[in-house]
Amino acid sequence: MTSATSLAAAEETRGATAGRLPRGSRASAFWTLYTLTLRQHAHGRRWLVMGLLFLLPVGLAILVRSTAPDVPAIGLEFVLAHMFVPQALLPIVALLYASGLVEDEQEEQTITYLVSRPIPRWAIYSLKLLATLTTTVMIAAVFTGLTYAAIYIGADARGENVPLRCLTSASIHALALVAYCSLFGLMSLLTRRILVVGVLYTAIVEGLLANLPFGIRLVTVIYYARLITYRTMEFLVPLPRDRTENIAADAWQFDVASDPQLAEHPQLATCVAVLVVGSVVCTMLAAWLCAGREFHVKTPEKD
Amino acid sequence: MHTQVLDQVAGPAEVTPVVEFHGVSKWYGNVIGLNKLTLRIRPGVTGLLGPNGAGKSTLLQLATGQLRPSQGSVRVLGRTVWNNARLNRSIGLCPEQDAFYEWMTGWEFVLTCVRLSGLGRRDAREAAARTIDAVGMTQHRGRAIRGYSKGMRQRIKLAQALVHEPEVVFLDEPLTGTDPVARRDLSEIIRRLGSEGKSVLVSSHVLHEVESLTPNIVLLNRGRLVAEGHVRQIRDLIDKHPHHIVLVCDDYRRLASRVLAWEDVEGVRVLASEKGLMVETRAPDAFYGRLPALSLEDGLAITAVYSDDDNLEAVFKYLVTK
């Protein structure tokens, strides 16, 4: 037997007998990592911060309802659930969670326990992102429900199907969160100052550029989220003499006077596809980056 | 600095190494972690020795696939390590850092680690219970890790490295900070791993720790391999080089003139504060043999004789500073 053959035979034998324990599936390892990340989120303090932030629209709704009862509920819904939350809260939530996807484990030096297991690095990133999406979407859904409750309980809903509107809002928020988390997750692998970069991105790109009536807003998440909202929900506020006005078009710089159907803007399916495909592309890029990344853990001698 | 390659004690030369470094360098920017390291570690327990910053942790992180070599190749069990997650089924790592999911209990931690290795629920529970028992933590397994003592933390960290029954175990400073009881128990576990046929690479900067675990050692310093082989041979090695022997004597100046006449004495340094001499000799046995006569015939009352070179620490110091 040649040395090469004997080495191959040895490796084969080694592979067959590697460890004496019965081997479970990769799915078992993946599920454990997913649940581990969820538990980490539950034990962290981030969700408390998130809860407090998300209580802002709830508190504002209660405040407005109690001090200005004439404000139409649908107007309040638009301002809080479709302006304030997607513009301010969702990017912050996504940034705070996605920035720590891998960074937290590295900072706390527990990443060693993950990379020394038979789980590829790309899977570590993807599963942690998936768990992060689960957490953020759950938080957003619960507090969207609370916001709607604060706006509509006891208010004149004017025949609106409030539960359906709430469900639609929560779904749009979830989609936006998926996009934001995927984007910020990718950014977190490209820069060490993800919080600074993320805040700047949110302020400049999602805040400033998205509000300009130019093509540049097509590169923002919020633009597609708004378009989906506009195409699936109505925000008709009653005006004097039985007239109504769609406050969303004006607020979001949609020129409905010359293009009532927004034919020059992407259709609903396109908007959803852009956010989903964009998220998948960001995730794949980040997973690819992660696959080739070293996770250097500080040791006392290097501190 | 030249590497002292000594005869191995692990077995015949054709034994397949479990860990192979071939021309491996690792750079952290301008800082070098390992420098053109070529090393073959055979089955059994091997001690990895070196002072802080020698490159031990870098070596272990390369061997466990956490780091990618800047140059050269690293193989474990004949397979490339970097980006080979499947190989981790056969590798166990007890890292140096005192980092845990602090909110978990010891049981949850070990169970999570074995589940991350891909074991099914029932097998994982059995393996976790068995391993926790083996490291003597059954009684404390239900407590949160944040409340553990240093010794308990080291034990539970060792448990997570062993729970999936790896073929090769890498232990980075496993005895650091432990009390004597934990040290004794952990040492016993490591020795048992070797007797069970596992290959263990255990790092330490405390020489007597490793000496109590295995006679087979690898010495690193400044990212380079200084020596590898049997402790005994490293002891022999030092006999080829000057020993430092301290003689304490009231009339140390006269003593100095006497010993300088001996051919094997290469130098004498006066230790005035101790009323003694530091003698450098290449023939320590012969030197010791002449001392009684010196006292008797010349009336030089030597009140103390000692040498720092009699233990492995001295060997290590000599080799790394050579």
Side-chain angles (χ1 to χ4, degrees):
Chain A
M1 191 185 284
T2 64
S3 59
T5 324
S6 60
L7 183 62
E11 284 194 26
E12 197 173 309
T13 309
R14 201 177 284 134
T17 59
R20 280 166 282 169
L21 290 170
R23 296 301 177 195
S25 64
R26 182 178 266 198
S28 169
F30 284 7
W31 174 251
T32 305
L33 178 54
Y34 173 75
T35 53
L36 169 66
T37 309
L38 288 180
R39 293 177 69 197
Q40 285 176 289
H41 290 160
H43 281 88
R45 290 181 185 160
R46 245 180 223 134
W47 72 270
L48 284 173
V49 177
M50 294 302 102
L52 287 173
L53 282 174
F54 266 105
L55 279 175
L56 271 174
V58 179
L60 283 171
I62 293 169
L63 185 68
V64 173
R65 286 281 311 279
S66 57
T67 56
D70 294 339
V71 171
I74 208 154
L76 195 55
E77 176 200 337
F78 175 75
V79 171
L80 294 178
H82 297 283
M83 290 289 283
F84 180 65
V85 172
Q87 185 86 56
L89 290 193
L90 297 187
I92 292 174
V93 173
L95 181 59
L96 286 180
Y97 274 99
S99 63
L101 269 176
V102 179
E103 189 72 18
D104 283 359
E105 295 268 6
Q106 212 169 346
E107 278 293 310
E108 289 162 19
Q109 305 192 7
T110 47
I111 189 90
T112 306
Y113 298 119
L114 304 183
V115 296
S116 61
R117 303 289 158 190
I119 305 175
R121 282 171 166 78
W122 64 262
I124 292 174
Y125 176 84
S126 305
L127 289 161
K128 291 191 84 68
L129 176 65
L130 189 63
T132 299
L133 293 177
T134 307
T135 302
T136 52
V137 166
M138 291 289 285
I139 290 174
V142 167
F143 284 98
T144 300
L146 283 176
T147 305
Y148 268 79
I151 293 168
Y152 280 104
I153 288 177
D156 178 13
R158 294 179 185 270
E160 295 288 352
N161 186 343
V162 176
L164 182 63
R165 291 183 72 88
C166 179
L167 190 64
T168 308
S169 288
S171 304
I172 295 167
H173 291 170
L175 191 57
L177 271 173
V178 169
Y180 280 130
C181 284
S182 307
L183 183 63
F184 290 138
L186 173 62
M187 284 182 178
S188 72
L189 294 176
L190 297 172
T191 174
R192 288 188 173 188
R193 300 182 179 277
I194 174 60
L195 287 177
V196 175
V197 173
V199 167
L200 287 176
Y201 170 85
T202 303
I204 296 169
V205 179
E206 299 293 334
L208 186 65
L209 298 186
N211 287 317
L212 298 176
F214 307 119
I216 188 76
R217 61 181 172 178
L218 267 80
V219 300
T220 66
V221 172
I222 195 83
Y223 168 73
Y224 295 99
R226 286 172 176 175
L227 209 49
I228 293 169
T229 307
Y230 189 86
R231 292 194 187 283
T232 53
M233 303 173 82
E234 284 190 334
F235 297 96
L236 298 175
V237 175
L239 295 176
R241 298 177 200 168
D242 286 339
R243 288 184 300 123
T244 57
E245 181 191 4
N246 190 332
I247 52 174
D250 195 37
W252 291 340
Q253 308 285 326
F254 293 146
D255 185 9
V256 287
S258 59
D259 180 13
Q261 300 303 314
L262 298 186
E264 291 181 357
H265 295 265
Q267 294 303 307
L268 177 63
T270 309
C271 293
V272 174
V274 166
L275 291 182
V276 170
V277 172
S279 303
V280 170
V281 169
C282 283
T283 303
M284 288 175 72
L285 263 174
W288 176 74
L289 282 173
C290 229
R293 175 153 295 198
E294 292 178 329
F295 294 106
H296 185 219
V297 174
K298 286 178 286 186
T299 58
E301 67 190 48
K302 297 184 191 73
D303 288 339
Chain B
M1 182 165 51
H2 299 287
T3 303
Q4 306 288 335
V5 181
L6 307 167
D7 292 341
Q8 299 282 339
V9 291
E14 64 270 18
V15 170
T16 309
V18 288
V19 181
E20 279 181 279
F21 280 67
H22 185 73
V24 174
S25 294
K26 181 63 192 173
W27 295 83
Y28 305 103
N30 292 328
V31 178
I32 193 157
L34 280 186
N35 193 355
K36 295 177 185 170
L37 180 74
T38 295
L39 177 66
R40 292 157 67 91
I41 294 171
R42 300 171 194 219
V45 180
T46 302
L48 180 61
L49 289 168
N52 286 336
K56 303 185 299 295
S57 292
T58 298
L59 187 150
L60 291 178
Q61 288 185 47
L62 284 162
T64 52
Q66 293 174 71
L67 297 179
R68 175 173 36 197
S70 310
Q71 201 175 45
S73 64
V74 182
R75 295 171 78 84
V76 171
L77 297 170
R79 286 170 277 176
T80 301
V81 177
W82 173 249
N83 247 346
N84 188 356
R86 195 180 291 262
L87 180 61
N88 287 340
R89 287 190 171 180
S90 307
I91 291 177
L93 170 66
C94 180
E96 180 182 13
Q97 66 268 17
D98 187 40
F100 294 89
Y101 302 109
E102 299 280 346
W103 43 271
M104 283 186 180
T105 64
W107 166 256
E108 287 172 327
F109 178 64
V110 177
L111 186 64
T112 298
C113 287
V114 71
R115 295 272 286 147
L116 286 171
S117 290
L119 264 73
R121 188 164 292 157
R122 184 185 297 173
D123 292 333
R125 293 180 74 84
E126 286 175 9
R130 190 170 54 243
T131 314
I132 287 173
D133 189 48
V135 299
M137 284 293 288
T138 302
Q139 194 183 343
H140 308 289
R141 71 180 206 178
R143 286 172 51 190
I145 292 175
R146 70 166 70 90
Y148 280 179
S149 67
K150 177 69 180 176
M152 291 175 184
R153 293 165 79 88
Q154 290 294 77
R155 285 170 194 255
I156 214 72
K157 197 160 65 175
L158 183 60
Q160 67 77 32
L162 305 178
V163 68
H164 57 294
E165 296 199 7
E167 288 177 75
V168 188
V169 184
F170 296 95
L171 309 175
D172 199 352
E173 306 266 4
L175 306 180
T176 299
T178 53
D179 58 69
V181 175
R183 189 171 291 246
R184 182 200 62 202
D185 292 350
L186 290 170
S187 298
E188 180 53 38
I189 292 166
I190 295 167
R191 280 192 291 268
R192 198 191 314 146
L193 287 170
S195 64
E196 287 171 356
K198 308 258 189 222
S199 293
V200 183
L201 183 59
V202 53
S203 82
S204 176
H205 61 279
V206 182
L207 303 182
H208 70 85
E209 279 180 4
V210 171
E211 200 175 20
S212 69
L213 297 173
T214 176
N216 205 19
I217 63 169
V218 170
L219 292 180
L220 282 184
N221 188 45
R222 295 178 186 172
R224 282 182 179 274
L225 180 64
V226 176
E228 58 176 314
H230 196 288
V231 166
R232 185 185 61 239
Q233 290 170 307
I234 290 185
R235 283 175 178 275
D236 291 344
L237 183 70
I238 200 165
D239 285 342
K240 296 175 186 169
H241 301 89
H243 262 224
H244 294 92
I245 298 169
V246 175
L247 306 176
V248 180
C249 174
D250 284 342
D251 196 359
Y252 57 90
R253 293 194 182 275
R254 191 158 68 93
L255 178 63
S257 66
R258 291 287 288 119
V259 297
L260 268 173
W262 298 346
E263 282 190 2
D264 56 280
V265 172
E266 298 207 330
V268 173
R269 188 155 63 94
V270 173
L271 307 172
S273 61
E274 294 180 40
K275 289 190 175 178
L277 305 173
M278 165 85 77
V279 181
E280 193 176 294
T281 172
R282 284 187 180 277
D285 291 343
F287 183 88
Y288 284 124
R290 284 186 227 113
L291 287 181
L294 194 67
S295 283
L296 289 171
E297 293 168 13
D298 291 5
L300 289 164
I302 300 172
T303 54
V305 179
Y306 61 90
S307 170
D308 285 337
D309 291 344
D310 287 344
N311 55 32
L312 187 55
E313 186 81 38
V315 178
F316 176 75
K317 276 183 189 168
Y318 167 71
L319 289 171
V320 300
T321 56
K322 183 163 65 83

